[in-house]
Amino acid sequence: MKPPAFNRTLRQLVALPILLLLILASFLLWQIQATARAQRELDHSDQVTAKLQELQNLFIDQETGLRGFQLTGDPVMLAPWKAAASPIQSRFGDLQQMLAADADQETRLQDLQRRYNEWLGFADAVLHQDAAALNAARMNQRGKEMMDGIRAVAKRMQQHESNLREARFRHARWLQRQELVSLLLSVFIVGAVLAFFTRHHVRAISVSYLRRIADITQRSEELYESQQWFQTTLESIGDAVIACDMDGRVAFMNAVAEKLTGWSLVEAKGQSLEVVFRIIHEQTRQAAENPVAKVRRLRKVVGLANHTVLIARNGHESVIDDSAAPITSGLGDMIGVVLVFRDVTEERQMQSALVASEKLAVAGRLAASIAHEIHNPLDSVANLHFLLDQETNAEKRAEYLRLAQQELGRTMQISRTMLSLYREPKAPIEIQLRDLVDGVLLLLDRRLQHQGVRVETEIADSLTVEGFPAELRQVLTNLIVNAMDASGPKGRIRIRVQRAEATELRGIGALIDIADSGPGISPDAVSRLFQPFFTTKGANGTGLGLWVSMGIVQKHGGSIEVGSSDDPGLTGASMRVYLPARTFAGVPALSA
Amino acid sequence: MPTILCIDDEALGLQIRRAVLERAGYQVLTAVDGPGGLALFRKEPVDGVVLDYYMPEMDGGAVAEAMRRERPEIPIMLLSAYINLPPEVVQLVDMTLLKGEGPLELLEKLRLMLRSEGSSPGRFS
C-alpha cells in the first residue's frame, strides 16, 4: 500500500463511522419526533374529551338551575345557570380552536352550539313567562327534548373523540414498537457495517505493513549485496580505478590502482589526488593537469592528454591511457570524480615493435627491387670484366671500360637512393614534394613496369612541406604499392599533388591524391582500413602499412581520407593525404 | 655451334651478355621482351634459351611456360636478379642463375645444360 492509499484508508476509517452515526441519529430523531407527534395527538384527544365533559357538566348545571327556577320561581335557583353561562362560551371557544382541523367534529360542534343556542332561546322564553306557565308539562317536555338532543350530539362527539383516541393510541404504540425495532435493527446494521469495514481496512493496512517490512528487509539485503557486488567488481576490474570527492581527496582505489600508484587504499584515503596520482607529460616531463580540476571545470568525461606518464610512489614510471568522469548524485549534482586508467607501457612497446616490423617488411619489399636494380648492372660489369680480360683490341677495351663505368655509376646511384631512404634527419626539414614523389617512383619503377601499370603525375611546382622525408617516402611507397596491387596488370594510377588552401579545420599545406583504376574499396573495408593487421592481400600483406602510414601522417599533423576520383577511368579508391606546410612533429616517435 | 636465344629487357646487359656468349663460341639471338623472344623461338632453330625472369608485361615464367608447351625438349636457363623466384617457375626450367654470379658460372651452367639436353627439367637447378 502506497502512502496516498494508506492516508485514504485512514480517512475512511474515521469518516465512515461518523457518517453512519449521523445517519443513525437523524433516523432516530425522526422516529422520536413521529412518536412525540402521536403522543401530542393523543393528549389532544384527551383534552377534547375533557372539554366536552366539562361542557356537558356545565349544561347540566344550567339545566338544573333552570329546573330549580321553574319549580320554585325563586331567582336564587338561577345562580348555577348564570355561573355556567360564561364558562360554556369559553369552552365552546376552546373546542372550536381544538377541532379546527377535524371537519366532522367541527360540524358536530356547530350543531351542538346551534342546539345550545336554541335551548338558550327556550330558556329565555321560560325565564320571561308566568309562574303558572313555568311548570307546564308541555314546557318541561320541550326543554327535556332539546337538552336530550344536545346531550346526544355531545355524546356523539365524545364517542368520535374516543374512537379517534383509540386509533391514535394504537398508532402511538405501533410507532413505539417500530422505534424500538428500528433502533435495534439500525444499531445492528451500523455495527455490522463498521465491523466489516474496519476489519477489512485494518487487515489491508496490516498486510501492507507486513509487506512493506518484508520489502524493506529484502531491499536492504539487496542493497548490501549490490554494494558488495560493485565493490568486488571495482576491486577485480582490469583497469585502475580511483574515486575522489569534490575536493580532490582519494575516497577509493582498486587493487590495480594500488599497484600502479604504489599507494595502498588505507594510506591513500583522504590524501590529495596530486600526491597519489602523480602524472607528467611523457616527452616534456612537465606536470600534467590535475584531472579532478579539469572534470570540475568541464563537468563532463575527459580523456586525459596523450603521452601521460604516471610516477608511482617508488619512482617507477608507466605510460597510461586514462579518462576521468564526474560522479553525479541522483539529483544531478556533481559529488566527485572517478579516474579510470591502465598501463599501456607494454602496448606502446608492442606498437613500436609493430611499426618496426612494418618498416622491415617495407625494407624487404624494397630490397627485392633494389637487389634487382643492383644485380643487373653488377651482372653487366662482371660480364664486361670477362670480356676485357679476353679482349686485345684497344678500342673495344675502351668501350667495355666505358660501359662498366656507366653500370657502376648506376649501381652507386641506386645505393645512394636506398641509403637516403634510411637516413633520417633529427628534426623536420623542408621537402620538395616533386622530388619526394619522383624518388619513390624511381624505386618502384621496375615493379610498376613489371605489372604494366601506367603512372600519371600532376605535381604542382615548388610545393614544399616540412617533415621527415624517409617516413613520408614510406607513406607514399605504401599508398602507391596499394594502388598498384589494386589496379592490377595494365592498370592506371594518377598521382596529383596540389596546394591545399587553409580551411577552418586545417592550415595551408599540400594535398596528395593517389587514385587507381582498381575495383575500389568496400565500405566495410574502408572502416577498418587503418586498423593494424587489416589486409585485403591475404598472406601477401602485413596489414600494417596503412596503420603505420596513418601514424606517420598524423604525426606530421596531416590526415588520410578515402574517397573516389572525379576521373571516370579511375574507378578505384582515391587516397587523399593532407600534409600541413608547417609540422609540429618533434622527434620521430614512430621510428623504431 | 649451338644457337642460344637470349631474352632480357635490359638492353645494355643483353648486348654485353651476347658478346660474352659469342666469345665463348655460341650463335646468339636476342630479344628485349617475352613476345619477341617467343617469335624467334618459333622461327629459328634454337638449342637453348637464356631467359630473364623480371620483365614488364610478360615475365620469364610466362615465357618459359609457353616454350615448354611448344617445344619441351629445348633447355631453358632462367636468369634473375631476384633471389626469391616462385617455386613453380623454378620447377619449370632446367637451370637458374642469379645475375651477378659472373660469366664463368653462366658459361659453365650453359655447357652443362646443353650437354644433357633432353634430360628431365629442373635436374641442374
Side-chain angles (χ1 to χ4, degrees):
Chain A
M1 198 181 275
K2 294 200 172 84
F6 181 76
N7 285 340
R8 199 167 56 236
T9 306
L10 273 186
R11 276 201 301 276
Q12 283 172 356
L13 271 175
V14 175
L16 190 83
I18 291 174
L19 188 74
L20 279 177
L21 288 174
L22 274 175
I23 292 171
L24 183 64
S26 326
F27 178 66
L28 287 178
L29 197 68
W30 176 72
Q31 288 246 311
I32 287 165
Q33 273 176 346
T35 316
R37 200 163 50 241
Q39 195 62 50
R40 275 201 304 279
E41 282 171 355
L42 207 59
D43 289 350
H44 183 262
S45 288
D46 285 345
Q47 282 166 7
V48 170
T49 308
K51 289 282 178 206
L52 280 170
Q53 193 55 52
E54 281 170 20
L55 199 61
Q56 286 187 74
N57 289 345
L58 288 168
F59 288 157
I60 290 170
D61 284 354
Q62 277 207 318
E63 193 190 11
T64 310
L66 192 67
R67 286 288 290 166
F69 176 70
Q70 273 183 292
L71 290 174
T72 60
D74 185 356
V76 176
M77 288 297 173
L78 281 176
W81 194 84
K82 282 177 186 159
S86 172
I88 283 176
Q89 288 311 320
S90 132
R91 296 299 181 275
F92 268 124
D94 289 349
L95 279 168
Q96 212 153 15
Q97 268 183 3
M98 291 166 95
L99 296 174
D102 191 338
D104 287 350
Q105 287 288 73
E106 203 178 12
T107 315
R108 283 190 200 99
L109 184 65
Q110 280 161 3
D111 186 30
L112 188 69
Q113 204 161 7
R114 187 182 48 79
R115 281 172 190 272
Y116 173 67
N117 288 339
E118 277 174 13
W119 183 77
L120 275 185
F122 160 76
D124 198 41
V126 169
L127 289 177
H128 293 90
Q129 278 181 357
D130 303 340
L134 278 177
N135 214 9
R138 199 177 44 86
M139 281 295 264
N140 285 342
Q141 188 57 35
R142 192 164 162 236
K144 186 179 181 294
E145 278 170 7
M146 287 175 91
M147 197 41 89
D148 283 350
I150 287 170
R151 281 202 192 94
V153 172
K155 198 96 189 152
R156 271 205 302 284
M157 283 182 77
Q158 256 183 324
Q159 190 57 49
H160 179 83
E161 205 57 45
S162 168
N163 289 347
L164 211 57
R165 189 189 184 279
E166 184 62 25
R168 281 171 176 166
F169 178 70
R170 276 201 304 277
H171 178 64
R173 229 173 43 192
W174 177 80
L175 275 178
Q176 274 173 351
R177 268 204 303 277
Q178 198 193 41
E179 198 178 331
L180 192 68
V181 169
S182 311
L183 184 68
L184 287 173
L185 212 64
S186 49
V187 164
F188 175 75
I189 288 169
V190 166
V193 167
L194 278 181
F196 174 77
F197 178 80
T198 312
R199 198 173 113 94
H200 174 80
H201 277 70
V202 167
R203 181 176 289 178
I205 289 172
S206 150
V207 166
S208 158
Y209 174 74
L210 288 176
R211 196 176 296 154
R212 185 64 64 90
I213 286 187
D215 261 13
I216 289 168
T217 312
Q218 196 192 344
R219 213 169 293 172
S220 73
E221 275 169 16
E222 281 173 3
L223 201 64
Y224 178 74
E225 272 173 30
S226 93
Q227 202 180 354
Q228 288 295 307
W229 192 83
F230 277 119
Q231 187 93 12
T232 314
T233 307
L234 277 178
E235 281 294 347
S236 46
I237 209 163
D239 285 354
V241 177
I242 299 179
C244 300
D245 60 18
M246 278 301 275
D247 299 327
R249 302 198 175 280
V250 174
F252 170 82
M253 58 200 288
N254 70 356
V256 184
E258 285 180 332
K259 193 170 150 238
L260 283 178
T261 58
W263 286 76
S264 75
L265 174 59
V266 180
E267 294 167 319
K269 212 164 193 170
Q271 291 278 357
S272 171
L273 183 71
E274 280 131 323
V275 176
V276 179
F277 187 69
R278 271 177 64 206
I279 48 174
I280 57 164
H281 191 273
E282 189 178 10
Q283 277 151 19
T284 64
R285 309 287 301 171
Q286 282 175 348
E289 186 183 3
N290 178 359
V292 173
K294 194 168 178 183
V295 168
R296 253 193 354 213
R297 186 156 48 82
L298 300 174
R299 302 192 81 86
K300 64 173 190 180
V301 181
V302 293
L304 300 190
N306 283 329
H307 312 296
T308 306
V309 168
L310 172 68
I311 303 174
R313 205 175 183 182
N314 61 7
H316 180 263
E317 294 186 6
S318 26
V319 184
I320 57 165
D321 181 7
D322 50 6
S323 70
I327 305 172
T328 45
S329 72
L331 299 169
D333 295 329
M334 190 169 151
I335 52 172
V337 173
V338 63
L339 286 175
V340 179
F341 55 98
R342 64 202 169 88
D343 186 355
V344 293
T345 312
E346 274 181 30
E347 208 170 289
R348 194 58 70 78
Q349 284 164 354
M350 188 91 80
Q351 274 184 1
S352 301
L354 282 179
V355 170
S357 92
E358 168 62 8
K359 208 160 186 174
L360 279 177
V362 169
R365 281 197 293 272
L366 280 172
S369 62
I370 287 166
H372 192 270
E373 296 299 327
I374 290 180
H375 279 150
N376 266 322
L378 277 183
D379 187 51
S380 293
V381 169
N383 284 340
L384 286 165
H385 191 261
F386 171 81
L387 289 169
L388 271 171
D389 205 29
Q390 310 216 332
E391 190 58 65
T392 49
N393 183 325
E395 212 174 292
K396 276 205 166 174
R397 285 180 63 101
E399 169 68 7
Y400 290 154
L401 276 172
R402 191 186 60 77
L403 287 175
Q405 197 60 45
Q406 186 185 326
E407 290 296 85
L408 280 174
R410 215 174 108 197
T411 316
M412 292 286 279
Q413 192 202 343
I414 292 163
S415 156
R416 252 199 304 273
T417 314
M418 189 183 169
L419 276 176
S420 75
L421 195 72
Y422 285 96
R423 206 169 35 208
E424 192 68 295
K426 282 285 174 200
I429 58 163
E430 192 94 352
I431 305 165
Q432 274 285 345
L433 284 175
R434 180 183 286 281
D435 294 350
L436 191 79
V437 175
D438 285 348
V440 171
L441 284 176
L442 181 71
L443 280 174
L444 292 173
D445 188 46
R446 269 278 163 178
R447 281 176 79 178
L448 288 163
Q449 270 191 30
H450 182 235
Q451 286 267 341
V453 174
R454 203 168 78 241
V455 179
E456 299 158 15
T457 53
E458 297 169 26
I459 302 173
D461 281 327
S462 62
L463 189 55
T464 58
V465 294
E466 249 182 20
F468 298 94
E471 286 187 1
L472 292 180
R473 213 175 276 127
Q474 187 179 340
V475 172
L476 281 180
T477 306
N478 191 278
L479 294 177
I480 295 171
V481 167
N482 280 351
M484 187 177 80
D485 290 347
S487 63
K490 298 207 181 4
R492 191 155 75 92
I493 298 174
R494 188 193 62 198
I495 302 170
R496 186 185 270 169
V497 183
Q498 295 167 301
R499 187 176 304 279
E501 298 307 330
T503 67
E504 230 172 277
L505 297 172
R506 62 191 193 196
I508 196 161
L511 205 60
I512 306 169
D513 182 350
I514 299 171
D516 64 68
S517 60
I521 309 169
S522 72
D524 174 51
V526 166
S527 61
R528 297 164 58 203
L529 218 48
F530 297 100
Q531 292 173 5
F533 304 115
F534 175 76
T535 178
T536 56
K537 299 181 189 173
N540 294 324
T542 59
L544 294 171
L546 282 177
W547 176 68
V548 170
S549 297
M550 182 60 109
I552 292 170
V553 170
Q554 284 177 343
K555 190 186 88 174
H556 281 77
S559 61
I560 306 181
E561 279 167 26
V562 187
S564 48
S565 169
D566 49 358
D567 182 338
L570 298 170
T571 47
S574 156
M575 304 296 286
R576 288 163 193 167
V577 181
Y578 160 77
L579 290 170
R582 294 274 164 270
T583 180
F584 296 108
V587 187
L590 275 163
S591 62
Chain B
M1 278 308 272
T3 303
I4 304 298
L5 173 57
C6 250
I7 310 172
D8 196 332
D9 63 319
E10 281 278 323
L12 182 62
L14 182 65
Q15 290 315 314
I16 296 168
R17 195 171 300 118
R18 174 190 196 145
V20 169
L21 291 176
E22 282 176 348
R23 186 161 289 266
Y26 292 103
Q27 296 256 339
V28 183
L29 300 168
T30 56
V32 289
D33 57 20
L38 274 175
L40 283 173
F41 183 77
R42 283 173 194 137
K43 214 163 60 189
E44 304 292 332
V46 174
D47 298 302
V49 180
V50 174
L51 178 62
D52 183 32
Y53 174 71
Y54 208 79
M55 292 186 294
E57 295 185 39
M58 192 174 190
D59 69 22
V63 176
E65 211 182 312
M67 287 176 169
R68 277 278 177 261
R69 257 202 315 273
E70 289 175 29
R71 287 159 69 187
E73 73 281 4
I74 305 293
I76 303 172
M77 181 190 293
L78 194 65
L79 284 180
S80 160
Y82 217 133
I83 300 153
N84 300 321
L85 280 173
E88 65 275 14
V89 176
V90 174
Q91 285 289 309
L92 202 63
V93 299
D94 298 79
M95 208 59 101
T96 59
L97 183 74
L98 191 67
K99 281 184 178 175
E101 280 188 63
L104 295 176
E105 192 72 18
L106 166 72
L107 293 174
E108 175 62 12
K109 280 197 172 176
L110 189 61
R111 195 179 58 79
L112 280 172
M113 188 176 82
L114 291 173
R115 202 179 59 183
S116 55
E117 187 182 332
S119 55
S120 60
R123 188 172 155 187
F124 301 99
S125 58

